[in-house]
């Protein structure tokens, strides 16, 4: 149906907003709040002038973007609210000291709070929650703010496809027309999980490397391998049984495993790398007296335990889930067509928001019950609840502009056909070598939209069509698409903004991106080379 000319000029135009975004953020150290409007302006301009989109297309896609951004912003606000509850009650000091006692080995502590706990949160909630919640917890155990954003971004990313109870995986299956339980479905799940396992292992090793280079890798090697076998290997096995819990169950087991590892002779003694670049040294002496009277580690984790229980009950108990997902809010959009005949079909209810089964609901309820509980216990002073709400709003406002701009940009790129030209151009020029770049298309989708699910919706159909055209096994290429999407979630600006917001370093997104992109791009390339080898056999 697409008559858009796919030539170098049109392709470069489609790339332009993304390139500008990357250059402004990485090279010129702009924050996402400043860079997003520039990317958006370019997208709108090329959409109207060169992709023949009329105002109706721009307004319609822009409105869809605003709606999507609002559902993300509700998550940001509720995650920040949960953080502010811990902040007001000073629970983070309790968590820091309690976790240090449980895991005296500092490397294991960083892995637990930056990789394992994030994987657990990603298994049930997703949507950037692990980054928003994880950053302040890491700062609590003495990690520098910038690293407290980088580590959870990596830590949660492997869980992106089968996490959130496999929302992104279901989107992939739907977009590529794989029927649940069929042979193609299981084989695709197998390849996806295998590539993700490889990425999971890289994450563990990278966090060790960040913490203490070679010394930390030697110390943590066996622990990382074991945890990765539980997480990546467990997920691989479970995809063949039940994709919904394929990430969540192994993530839970790894949480227990790391606490047991802390009991082993190798990790029982205090151990740290003194000159670790990720840790703030010599700051924690003056903060010890600030701990709230009588609060134990279990008390401090109450909101997070609530979060897990509520999410599990709502998402896994069928009758509860069915009842609560009856309430849906979505808007209808008319069909729009560009001058090139690129059609955006009419939708009855676009991206319906189900408030009672949405991650924001779990966060909100946990935060509120947490507040009531802490108030009863006397850990929230007079006026504290008001302060929590005010701070949550003021902390969310600045990141709001960045997220709205980025999401609208990705919607307009997709709706004007620029996204498809990007992907088609890559496939057209490269022929069979294209499979090397198949993970990059997934990565690009996640980078632009902030979600592996959206990446799969955007590109899964395209990837399987291209694979069939090139006579390569579509299940391997789809596996590369979704594992690339997982990797891309670590560098998505809207996810980075979540972390920099709760770590209180909004504006340093470029620095964070620069540190992570040097890991994600080579990892995606390695998967691509692997895919080429597999499909050439």
């Amino acid at each position: 149906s697409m008559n858009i000319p796919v030539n170098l000029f049109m392709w470069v135009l489609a790339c332009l907003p993304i390139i500008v975004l990357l250059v402004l953020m990485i090279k010129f150290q702009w924050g996402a709040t400043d860079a997003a409007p520039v990317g958006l302006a370019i997208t709108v301009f090329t959409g109207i002038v060169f992709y023949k989109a009329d105002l109706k297309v721009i307004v319609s896609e822009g409105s869809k973007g605003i709606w999507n951004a609002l559902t993300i912003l509700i998550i940001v606000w509720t995650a920040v609210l949960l953080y502010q509850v811990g902040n007001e009650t000073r629970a983070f000091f309790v968590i820091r000291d309690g976790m240090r006692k449980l895991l005296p080995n500092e490397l294991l502590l960083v892995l637990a709070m930056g990789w394992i706990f994030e994987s657990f949160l990603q298994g049930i909630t997703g949507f950037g929650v692990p980054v928003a919640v994880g950053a302040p917890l890491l700062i609590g155990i003495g990690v520098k703010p910038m690293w407290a954003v980088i580590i959870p971004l990596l830590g949660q990313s492997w869980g992106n496809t089968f996490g959130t109870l496999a929302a992104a995986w279901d989107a992939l299956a739907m977009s590529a027309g794989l029927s649940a339980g069929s042979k193609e479905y299981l084989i695709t799940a197998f390849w996806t999980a295998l590539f993700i396992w490889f990425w999971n292992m890289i994450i563990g090793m990278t966090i060790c490397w960040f913490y203490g280079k070679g010394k930390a890798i030697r110390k943590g090697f066996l622990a990382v391998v074991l945890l990765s076998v539980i997480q990546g290997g467990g997920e691989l096995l479970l995809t063949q049984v039940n994709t919904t819990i394929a990430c969540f169950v192994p993530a839970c087991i790894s949480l227990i495993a790391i606490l047991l590892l802390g009991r082993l002779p190798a990790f029982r003694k205090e151990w740290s790398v003194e000159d670790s670049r990720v840790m703030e040294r010599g700051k924690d002496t003056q903060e010890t007296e600030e701990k709230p009277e009588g609060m134990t580690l279990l008390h401090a984790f109450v909101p997070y335990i609530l979060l897990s229980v509520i999410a599990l009950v709502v998402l896994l108990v069928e009758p509860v889930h069915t009842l609560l997902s009856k309430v849906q809010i979505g808007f209808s959009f008319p069909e729009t067509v560009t001058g090139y005949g690129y059609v955006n079909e009419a939708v009855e209810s676009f991206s319906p928001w189900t408030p009672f089964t949405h991650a924001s609901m779990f966060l909100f309820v946990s935060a509120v019950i947490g507040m009531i509980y802490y108030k009863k216990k006397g850990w929230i002073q007079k006026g504290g609840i008001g302060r929590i709400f005010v701070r949550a709003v003021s902390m969310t406002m600045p990141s709001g502009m960045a997220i709205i701009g980025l999401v609208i940009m990705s919607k307009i790129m997709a709706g004007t056909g620029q996204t498809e030209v990007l992907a088609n151009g890559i496939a057209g020029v490269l022929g069979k070598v294209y499979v090397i770049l198949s993970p990059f298309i997934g990565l690009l989708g996640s980078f632009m939209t902030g979600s592996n699910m959206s990446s799969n919706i955007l590109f899964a159909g395209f990837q399987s069509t291209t694979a069939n055209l090139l006579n390569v096994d579509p299940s391997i290429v789809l596996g590369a698409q979704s594992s690339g999407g997982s990797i891309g979630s670590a560098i998505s600006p809207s996810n980075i903004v979540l972390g920099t917001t709760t770590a209180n370093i909004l504006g340093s997104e470029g620095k964070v991106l620069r540190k992570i992109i040097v890991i994600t791009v080579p990892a995606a390339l390695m998967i691509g080379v692997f895919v080429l080898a597999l499909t050439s056999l």
Side-chain angles (χ1 to χ4, degrees), residues 398-422:
S399 54
M401 297 320 294
I403 289 170
I404 291 172
L406 291 163
V407 178
I408 294 177
M409 173 180 143
S410 85
K411 273 277 164 255
I412 291 176
M413 278 189 73
T416 52
Q418 299 184 55
T419 306
E420 202 159 319
V421 168
L422 255 183

Side-chain angles (χ1 to χ4, degrees), residues 316-462:
L316 289 182
V317 180
E318 259 320 302
V320 177
H321 187 254
T322 315
L323 180 70
L324 291 178
S325 44
K326 283 209 167 84
V327 181
Q328 286 198 346
I329 306 165
F331 298 98
S332 65
F333 285 92
E335 178 179 89
T336 55
V337 188
T338 68
Y340 279 122
Y342 188 80
V343 179
N344 295 296
E345 286 169 19
V347 264
E348 259 319 291
S349 175
F350 171 75
S351 256
W353 182 52
T354 48
F356 298 115
T357 58
H358 194 242
S360 58
M361 185 64 180
F362 313 147
L363 287 160
F364 183 71
V365 173
S366 317
V368 170
I369 298 177
M371 274 185 252
I372 296 168
Y373 176 71
Y374 288 148
K375 184 102 178 105
K376 262 215 159 82
K377 289 274 193 187
W379 292 319
I380 291 181
Q381 308 305 318
K382 195 172 176 335
I385 291 189
R387 278 196 297 276
I388 291 172
F389 277 96
V390 170
R391 284 196 202 121
V393 172
S394 62
M395 207 165 168
T396 313
M397 294 293 276
S399 54
M401 297 320 294
I403 289 170
I404 291 172
L406 291 163
V407 178
I408 294 177
M409 173 180 143
S410 85
K411 273 277 164 255
I412 291 176
M413 278 189 73
T416 52
Q418 299 184 55
T419 306
E420 202 159 319
V421 168
L422 255 183
N424 277 321
I426 293 171
V429 172
L430 294 170
K432 192 120 184 183
V433 181
Y434 154 79
V435 296
I436 288 192
L437 285 192
S438 55
F440 280 98
I441 292 195
L443 182 137
L444 178 78
S446 269
F447 173 79
M448 284 164 43
T449 61
S451 110
N452 190 343
M453 183 165 84
S454 307
S455 175
N456 287 346
I457 292 169
L458 271 176
F459 292 133
F462 160 80

Side-chain angles (χ1 to χ4, degrees), residues 103-124:
L103 296 170
N105 181 306
E106 196 176 61
L107 172 63
L108 218 53
L109 179 62
V110 170
L111 285 168
M113 302 302 278
W115 178 31
I116 306 300
F117 187 57
E118 275 65 18
S119 306
F120 166 74
L121 286 176
Q122 182 60 34
I124 42 172

